[in-house]
Amino acid sequence: MNNFLRKIHLIKDLTIQLPVSKTDFIQKFRMHVDESNLGYVPFEVFQSSTNEYKGNIENNFFELKKRKKLFDTNYSFAKVTGHFAEDNSQLNINAEINGFKKRMILFLGIMIIFYSLFIFGSLFFVDNNPSPAPFFFFPFILIHMSVMLGIPYFIIRRSVKRMAYDLERDFHYWVTKN
């Protein structure tokens, strides 16, 4: 499943090298990321914080995601999990950005079952109905299905791409900032 999600760009692997020691990176991470378990927080948009991310960090592992903001149109679905190790005077970070949540399988399953029943039902019940479905019905329902399944895909894909860009930019900013 993860290989398929990587092929359709809903999971992305990212490698970042920073000229900083491991202890300095952990310190800067804790300064710029609010401590959180990344679970669902009701009314998160009303919490005040100057930090853009929330997450946690351990010895060689971290996870984070963007904080939700009021009136923010940048849909931030992506969650980052990463491992880091210090090599000479450089920190190597291997991160995985995942925009696909397991609960989306339920949504996709219900949508596919709904459209399948709708299309096949209209095809098989033509014999009982004296007026069959018009010709434009089937292209319309296929276009509608592709839009209803395509919009969430492109939103999540954009979220993963944007998180990769923002994460690399912010990590370099944290390290070079005094």
Side-chain angles (χ1 to χ4, degrees), residues 9-163:
H9 303 288
L10 296 183
I11 294 179
K12 184 175 184 174
D13 293 318
L14 184 68
T15 302
I16 303 171
Q17 293 183 343
L18 299 173
V20 68
S21 69
K22 182 174 144 181
T23 55
D24 288 340
F25 177 74
I26 291 173
Q27 179 185 15
K28 290 179 190 276
F29 186 94
R30 289 196 173 129
M31 250 176 29
H32 293 282
V33 177
D34 291 333
E35 188 73 26
S36 174
N37 64 355
L38 300 182
Y40 175 72
V41 178
F43 306 111
E44 178 184 353
V45 295
F46 298 115
Q47 293 178 353
S48 63
S49 176
T50 58
N51 294 334
E52 191 172 339
Y53 298 100
K54 65 179 186 174
N56 53 42
I57 189 168
E58 294 175 8
N59 194 19
N60 293 326
F61 175 78
F62 69 90
E63 58 182 359
L64 62 88
K65 63 191 285 191
K66 282 197 172 193
R67 176 178 297 286
K68 294 186 186 336
K69 297 176 186 173
L70 195 60
F71 303 118
D72 189 15
T73 58
N74 295 327
Y75 302 104
S76 52
F77 297 111
K79 177 182 173 185
V80 180
T81 56
H83 297 278
F84 53 92
E86 188 173 3
D87 186 30
N88 294 331
S89 64
Q90 252 185 341
L91 188 70
N92 297 323
I93 300 172
N94 295 320
E96 178 185 82
I97 303 169
N98 189 350
F100 189 81
K101 302 207 183 319
K102 297 291 183 192
R103 63 180 171 241
M104 286 295 291
I105 294 173
L106 178 66
F107 168 75
L108 291 173
I110 289 172
M111 293 292 283
I112 290 172
I113 289 171
F114 170 76
Y115 282 112
S116 299
L117 288 175
F118 200 74
I119 290 171
F120 291 124
S122 65
L123 287 175
F124 291 126
F125 292 115
V126 169
D127 296 337
N128 298 338
N129 191 359
S131 61
F135 175 71
F136 67 87
F137 171 75
F138 296 109
F140 171 75
I141 201 70
L142 290 176
I143 290 170
H144 189 271
M145 180 178 73
S146 64
V147 167
M148 292 302 289
L149 295 175
I151 288 175
Y153 165 72
F154 286 114
I155 288 174
I156 294 171
R157 185 175 167 176
R158 183 176 183 269
S159 173
V160 169
K161 188 176 179 180
R162 186 167 179 93
M163 178 61 94

